[in-house]
């Protein structure tokens, strides 16, 4: 895969990821741990969710670049640029979905959004696309520390929820935690893990077929 194709497919994957997040917001029964934190920041600051997502991605990219001692400078910069696709998609789709009636139970909409997000993240990682700065940082820490990606992802979920609760407590805000948050914590990380395994097998089979 050449650089142009990698950037193009990454942009598509980021936009699909944004669609998954938008559907979770549409369900309105609570959000994933990371989205809960980002939405709490959005409520506190009055800035759009997609814009907060872009700013958060910038911070994650900077942390990755610092931890890697500039080794991931180029990757971190490009991943931040790719995250703009996701933020813009969220800013465009959230108002549209909010005004559009969807005759599907909100739990189904939530699970659908989670699965779309999980597939896009798994594809980013296993197809060697540019991934979201947050996932890239977690993946980097997992590789360096030899901590299982799934366990590390659960730990960051707990951290994001804790930060959201702190924001809520000190700023007197209503934290968007609900059934959807529990559903997301239970199935998102596992879904990413399983989709990565499935895609890895597909990639290996494809390479064997070409040989």
């Amino acid at each position: 895969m050449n650089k142009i194709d990698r950037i193009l497919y990454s942009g598509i994957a980021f936009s699909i990821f944004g669609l998954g997040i938008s559907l979770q917001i549409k369900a309105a029964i609570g959000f994933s741990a990371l989205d809960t934190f980002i939405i709490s920041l959005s409520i506190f600051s009055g800035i759009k969710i997609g814009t907060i997502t872009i700013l958060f991605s910038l911070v994650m990219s900077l942390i990755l670049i610092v931890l890697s001692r500039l080794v991931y400078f180029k990757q971190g910069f490009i991943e931040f640029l790719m995250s703009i696709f996701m933020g813009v998609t969220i800013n465009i789709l959230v108002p549209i979905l909010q005004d559009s009636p969807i005759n599907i139970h909100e739990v189904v909409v939530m699970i659908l959004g989670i699965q779309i997000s999980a597939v896009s993240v798994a594809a980013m990682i296993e197809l060697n696309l540019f991934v979201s700065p947050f996932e890239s940082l977690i993946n980097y820490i997992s590789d360096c520390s030899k901590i299982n990606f799934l366990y590390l992802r659960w730990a960051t979920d707990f951290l994001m929820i804790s930060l959201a609760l702190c924001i809520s407590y000190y700023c007197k805000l209503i934290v968007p935690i609900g059934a959807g948050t529990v559903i997301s914590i239970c199935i998102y990380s596992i879904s990413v893990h399983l989709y990565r395994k499935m895609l890895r097998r597909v990639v290996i089979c494809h390479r064997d077929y070409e040989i």
Side-chain angles (χ1 to χ4, degrees):
M1 184 184 300
N2 60 48
K3 291 182 179 180
I4 295 177
D5 286 344
R6 189 184 182 199
I7 291 174
L8 176 62
Y9 291 139
S10 295
I12 294 172
F14 271 87
S15 296
I16 293 173
F17 188 70
L19 170 62
I21 293 176
S22 299
L23 285 171
Q24 294 174 54
I25 294 173
K26 169 65 178 178
I29 56 171
F31 310 101
S32 69
L34 178 57
D35 291 340
T36 297
F37 173 64
I38 288 177
I39 291 171
S40 296
L41 289 177
S42 177
I43 294 172
F44 170 69
S45 64
I47 301 174
K48 290 182 178 180
I49 298 172
T51 306
I52 289 292
T53 300
I54 293 171
L55 295 174
F56 178 80
S57 296
L58 174 60
V59 174
M60 295 299 102
S61 292
L62 291 174
I63 293 175
L64 175 62
I65 290 170
V66 171
L67 288 180
S68 66
R69 298 180 181 179
L70 302 182
V71 172
Y72 283 82
F73 177 81
K74 182 178 179 181
Q75 177 179 323
F77 178 70
I78 295 177
E79 286 174 350
F80 165 66
L81 294 180
M82 290 295 102
S83 70
I84 295 176
F85 281 94
M86 177 172 61
V88 171
T89 299
I90 294 171
N91 281 343
I92 292 174
L93 290 183
V94 167
I96 294 175
L97 290 174
Q98 295 289 14
D99 296 333
S100 302
I102 299 180
N103 297 319
I104 305 176
H105 195 279
E106 55 267 19
V107 173
V108 177
V109 176
M110 180 70 187
I111 293 175
L112 177 62
I114 291 172
Q115 295 307 308
I116 290 175
S117 297
V119 168
S120 63
V121 168
M124 289 175 190
I125 296 173
E126 294 304 323
L127 300 182
N128 195 30
L129 303 177
F130 293 105
V131 303
S132 71
F134 180 70
E135 298 294 344
S136 184
L137 178 60
I138 298 302
N139 206 42
Y140 175 79
I141 295 174
S142 175
D143 290 340
C144 292
S145 64
K146 306 303 179 183
I147 300 175
N148 185 282
F149 177 86
L150 180 60
Y151 299 150
L152 193 58
R153 197 61 177 75
W154 275 334
T156 57
D157 283 347
F158 177 77
L159 175 62
M160 292 298 105
I161 290 293
S162 298
L163 290 175
L165 288 173
C166 288
I167 292 173
S168 173
Y169 177 78
Y170 287 107
C171 302
K172 309 301 180 182
L173 299 175
I174 299 177
V175 179
I177 295 176
T181 306
V182 177
I183 293 172
S184 179
I185 291 175
C186 290
I187 70 174
Y188 176 74
S189 297
I190 294 175
S191 295
V192 172
H193 187 68
L194 292 176
Y195 287 134
R196 286 185 65 181
K197 282 188 174 181
M198 292 168 59
L199 286 170
R200 195 174 300 138
R201 290 174 183 172
V202 171
V203 171
I204 292 174
C205 290
H206 181 68
R207 287 175 181 169
D208 292 341
Y209 176 78
E210 288 182 335
I211 295 174

